Amino acid sequence: MAAPASGGPGATASAALDELSRNLTYGALGAGNGSLSGAWYRRNQIHLFGVLLAILGNLVISISLNIQKYWHLELAHQEHPRPYFKSVLWWGGVILMAVGETGNFAAYGFAPITLIAPLGCMSVTGSAIISVMFLKENLRASDLLGMTLAFAGTYLLVNFAPNITQEISARTVQYYFVGWRFMTYGILEILIFCILLYFHKRKGIKHIVILLTLVALLASLTVISVKAVSGMITFSVTDKIQLTYPIFYIMFIIMIASCVFQVKLLNQATKLYHTATVVPINHTFFTISAIIAGIVFYQEFLGAAFLTIFIYLFGCFLSVLGVVLVTRNREKEHLPQSYIDFGHVPGKQTLDKIQPDSNSLSYGTVPDGSDSTKSPSGEKKEV
């Protein structure tokens, strides 16, 4: 068969396919089988580096959130608090947040989306550990169980996620971007997004599922574009400059726009609902959307065995369940107690007890200091 003419569209497509055949490999024997042999580690060194970046990035984000929370609590106890943006401690938290997000961003350039995205559970579990040491919060039994499940899920994710080796170049991204899989996926996502946005804006429906589904749909575009931008930057450093291709700037614009609207919708959800409700649902929806995006756009499970996929999904389930247990009822612990202390009411006599024991005859009345109750006629009777 004659080769396509140099410089024509056929040559571009052929070059892209050749590059994909070189990059899209599952690594010879035992690919994707989750083996812990030395060969598995050698084959996944780049992925493990991405995992390390993601875990460290999420832990730094946890530290940042706890620092900012600590400073806001300190301001709440001050009679004349100064603006939080004038605090060195608050700015330190912001800088750590930027460092953590940079680590997450870089991780997508070294490992698949389906491996990096579920590791967001480390931010939640790490925050629970740090808050115990830093903010002196209580460590509950459900926290310990949730952390254990999250760590077990992370182990399964790292070991059984697709060990696909894929160098993300501009030609690779272009090939995926105009492929029928992403076109079909993009059209369906736009339709679902517009329908949900119509009910949210026009009908005024602000249910948490609708809000966080909108966030998840945008998040799928975010992870696709983040991996494309990060991967092309990594490819530019290690091989050939990719920043001259228009697809790089297209993906960069998609990344920024989807992040901005995603944060806006997520802020609406946190204003309407407790954080303890938003965090696990958002983590679950984000993980699902990121996995689907990785499978559809980057074909990250291509050639994987059924058992590998099953154990990987079980690891995702454990990490999500761990996040739910760690965040469960945590918001309620910080709510004010619904009681009245009569000892602090000016001009009122301090009472020994507000509600008598349920076994006494005076149950249901406020005692006046004597062991007596009133009869229905209003006369006092000694007990």
Side-chain angles (χ1 to χ4, degrees), residues 70-129:
Y70 172 80
W71 180 244
H72 284 298
L73 290 175
E74 288 293 314
L75 288 179
H77 290 88
Q78 295 179 8
E79 186 177 357
H80 301 289
R82 61 174 179 170
Y84 61 88
F85 54 83
K86 291 185 178 181
S87 167
V88 175
L89 187 63
W90 184 84
W91 278 108
V94 171
I95 293 172
L96 287 177
M97 175 71 76
V99 172
E101 292 294 353
T102 302
N104 275 336
F105 173 80
Y108 282 100
F110 295 97
I113 292 175
T114 48
L115 176 56
I116 298 301
L119 294 179
C121 67
M122 300 304 297
S123 177
V124 179
T125 54
S127 182
I129 296 173

Side-chain angles (χ1 to χ4, degrees), residues 40 52 302 326 341:
W40 183 90
L52 181 62
L302 187 64
V326 169
D341 187 355

Side-chain angles (χ1 to χ4, degrees), residues 13 70 85 89 98 114-115 144 147 149 152 159 192 202 212 217 234 266 277 293 300 308 324 379 381:
Y70 172 80
F85 54 83
L89 187 63
T114 48
L115 176 56
L144 293 174
M147 292 172 194
L149 292 177
N159 195 31
I192 296 172
R202 296 293 184 180
L212 295 184
L217 292 173
T234 304
L266 192 57
T277 304
E300 290 182 349
T308 300
V324 172
E379 299 177 357
K381 295 182 177 181

Side-chain angles (χ1 to χ4, degrees), residues 2 9 47 126 139 148 179 188 223 253 257 264 283 291 322 341 359 367 383:
H47 293 175
L139 184 63
T148 303
L188 288 175
V223 294
I253 292 172
K264 183 179 179 181
H283 175 70
I291 291 172
D341 187 355
N359 295 322
V383 178

Side-chain angles (χ1 to χ4, degrees), residues 222-276:
T222 301
V223 294
I224 288 173
S225 56
V226 164
K227 182 170 180 61
V229 173
S230 179
M232 283 188 276
I233 291 175
T234 304
F235 195 88
S236 298
V237 173
T238 58
D239 197 321
K240 181 183 176 182
I241 295 296
Q242 303 292 301
L243 308 186
T244 57
Y245 290 88
I247 191 65
F248 174 82
Y249 299 97
I250 292 173
M251 285 298 185
F252 185 80
I253 292 172
I254 292 175
M255 179 183 71
I256 298 300
S258 60
C259 281
V260 170
F261 287 105
Q262 186 181 336
V263 170
K264 183 179 179 181
L265 289 168
L266 192 57
N267 283 335
Q268 290 185 23
T270 54
K271 287 179 181 178
L272 295 172
Y273 301 94
H274 289 310
T275 305

Side-chain angles (χ1 to χ4, degrees), residues 34-356:
S35 172
L36 287 176
S37 63
W40 183 90
Y41 282 109
R42 288 192 297 271
R43 198 166 56 241
N44 292 273
Q45 283 181 353
I46 296 178
H47 293 175
L48 293 176
F49 181 67
V51 168
L52 181 62
L53 284 175
I55 292 176
L56 291 177
N58 283 310
L59 291 179
V60 170
I61 290 173
S62 302
I63 296 172
S64 165
L65 293 174
N66 279 275
I67 288 176
Q68 294 183 59
K69 183 177 180 181
Y70 172 80
W71 180 244
H72 284 298
L73 290 175
E74 288 293 314
L75 288 179
H77 290 88
Q78 295 179 8
E79 186 177 357
H80 301 289
R82 61 174 179 170
Y84 61 88
F85 54 83
K86 291 185 178 181
S87 167
V88 175
L89 187 63
W90 184 84
W91 278 108
V94 171
I95 293 172
L96 287 177
M97 175 71 76
V99 172
E101 292 294 353
T102 302
N104 275 336
F105 173 80
Y108 282 100
F110 295 97
I113 292 175
T114 48
L115 176 56
I116 298 301
L119 294 179
C121 67
M122 300 304 297
S123 177
V124 179
T125 54
S127 182
I129 296 173
I130 295 169
S131 65
V132 172
M133 300 182 294
F134 196 68
L135 300 176
K136 308 301 180 184
E137 293 187 0
N138 295 326
L139 184 63
R140 309 167 303 174
S142 61
D143 294 336
L144 293 174
L145 179 59
M147 292 172 194
T148 303
L149 292 177
F151 293 149
T154 300
Y155 172 80
L156 293 178
L157 287 171
V158 172
N159 195 31
F160 289 91
N163 56 5
I164 180 174
T165 302
Q166 188 173 184
E167 294 179 338
I168 304 300
S169 66
R171 284 182 175 178
T172 304
V173 176
Q174 285 175 354
Y175 178 81
Y176 287 143
F177 194 77
V178 298
W180 67 268
R181 292 181 181 85
F182 179 67
M183 288 294 181
T184 305
Y185 174 75
I187 292 171
L188 288 175
E189 183 170 284
I190 291 172
L191 286 175
I192 296 172
F193 186 87
C194 291
I195 292 172
L196 293 177
L197 193 63
Y198 170 78
F199 282 106
H200 174 59
K201 293 293 185 181
R202 296 293 184 180
K203 300 295 183 178
I205 300 177
K206 301 185 183 298
H207 195 277
I208 188 171
V209 172
I210 291 181
L211 284 169
L212 295 184
T213 302
L214 290 170
V215 172
L217 292 173
L218 290 170
S220 66
L221 293 178
T222 301
V223 294
I224 288 173
S225 56
V226 164
K227 182 170 180 61
V229 173
S230 179
M232 283 188 276
I233 291 175
T234 304
F235 195 88
S236 298
V237 173
T238 58
D239 197 321
K240 181 183 176 182
I241 295 296
Q242 303 292 301
L243 308 186
T244 57
Y245 290 88
I247 191 65
F248 174 82
Y249 299 97
I250 292 173
M251 285 298 185
F252 185 80
I253 292 172
I254 292 175
M255 179 183 71
I256 298 300
S258 60
C259 281
V260 170
F261 287 105
Q262 186 181 336
V263 170
K264 183 179 179 181
L265 289 168
L266 192 57
N267 283 335
Q268 290 185 23
T270 54
K271 287 179 181 178
L272 295 172
Y273 301 94
H274 289 310
T275 305
T277 304
V278 173
V279 169
I281 297 177
N282 182 58
H283 175 70
T284 304
F285 286 11
F286 171 78
T287 302
I288 294 172
S289 67
I291 291 172
I292 294 174
I295 292 173
V296 172
F297 193 88
Y298 293 102
Q299 304 174 32
E300 290 182 349
F301 272 106
L302 187 64
F306 173 78
L307 182 60
T308 300
I309 298 174
F310 176 80
I311 299 178
Y312 167 82
L313 294 177
F314 182 67
C316 291
F317 170 75
L318 290 181
S319 67
V320 169
L321 184 59
V323 170
V324 172
L325 289 175
V326 169
T327 56
R328 185 174 64 93
N329 296 331
R330 183 167 291 276
E331 193 79 17
K332 295 179 181 179
E333 294 182 355
H334 302 287
L335 294 178
Q337 299 295 323
S338 55
Y339 66 88
I340 301 175
D341 187 355
F342 277 85
H344 289 82
V345 179
K348 297 292 183 181
Q349 181 182 1
T350 302
L351 302 179
D352 293 332
K353 54 184 178 180
I354 302 302
Q355 180 62 59

